[in-house]
Amino acid sequence: MTSVDRVKEALDAFIQSDNPSVLAIKGQWGVGKTYFWKRFIEDAAPHKNYPVYSYVSLFGIESFSALHKAIADARVPLSPDWKTQSAVYGGRALSGVFRHNLLTWIGGNDTKQLAENLDKLATRNHVICFDDLERKEKDLSATALLGFISSLRDERH
């Protein structure tokens, strides 16, 4: 069995599992990990009924609020179901409306919190890929990042 076969087998087990989990793909720079992952998720996730996917490069992300925004901004529907697509893009547009327009209309931090809460709800039950761990900003500690990922797994599936 080749290393590509072993990675595919691990990814198949990951995507088939009903339990929320975290998977790390490790390998030399430039071997095609990101390419392999993106092709895999586009083919496999719709069959497992994961409606939404986010790919986030950690390069340049300096805070967890920026990371949360990057996840929300990167949401892409994987399901061919138009209702799912509408919910994903509608949620993105709605959170953007709250974030940008309603802040001045309603005012205050409560609206900002509402927008953040909408983004958090939108990250439930979908696959998130964090890439470029080795290029993350120094202010984003690896320990805190792993804790964040763990909370996504445990609290948002």
Side-chain angles (χ1 to χ4, degrees):
M1 180 182 281
T2 68
S3 60
V4 171
D5 292 332
R6 287 193 305 271
V7 171
K8 175 126 176 42
E9 187 176 285
L11 287 173
D12 283 333
F14 171 76
I15 215 76
Q16 297 294 330
S17 175
D18 289 330
N19 297 322
S21 55
V22 175
L23 175 85
I25 301 173
K26 192 171 121 177
Q28 294 291 322
W29 188 86
V31 297
K33 296 178 301 291
T34 301
Y35 177 84
F36 186 84
W37 166 256
K38 286 182 176 182
R39 294 301 123 345
F40 174 82
I41 197 67
E42 289 170 5
D43 292 340
H47 302 291
K48 180 57 180 156
N49 199 24
Y50 284 108
V52 184
Y53 166 65
S54 292
Y55 170 85
V56 177
S57 171
L58 294 173
F59 181 66
I61 302 287
E62 296 180 348
S63 69
F64 285 102
S65 62
L67 181 56
H68 228 345
K69 183 178 180 329
I71 293 167
D73 290 347
R75 286 189 301 254
V76 174
L78 288 170
S79 170
D81 178 16
W82 69 271
K83 290 179 185 175
T84 301
Q85 291 178 357
S86 298
V88 171
Y89 288 117
R92 184 184 298 167
L94 184 61
S95 67
V97 165
F98 276 110
R99 201 180 296 121
H100 300 294
N101 298 336
L102 291 182
L103 280 174
T104 55
W105 184 48
I106 295 174
N109 289 332
D110 291 340
T111 306
K112 182 178 179 184
Q113 185 63 46
L114 179 59
E116 289 174 9
N117 289 341
L118 286 171
D119 282 344
K120 287 177 183 178
L121 284 173
T123 58
R124 286 195 61 80
N125 297 319
H126 83 271
V127 177
I128 303 171
C129 175
F130 296 105
D131 200 359
D132 300 320
L133 180 62
E134 73 283 358
R135 296 172 61 195
K136 71 169 189 55
E137 296 295 322
K138 291 178 186 173
D139 292 341
L140 200 65
S141 81
T143 304
L145 180 61
L146 292 175
F148 176 78
I149 292 168
S150 180
S151 73
L152 286 174
R153 179 199 64 206
D154 296 342
E155 297 168 16
R156 301 203 194 121
H157 306 284

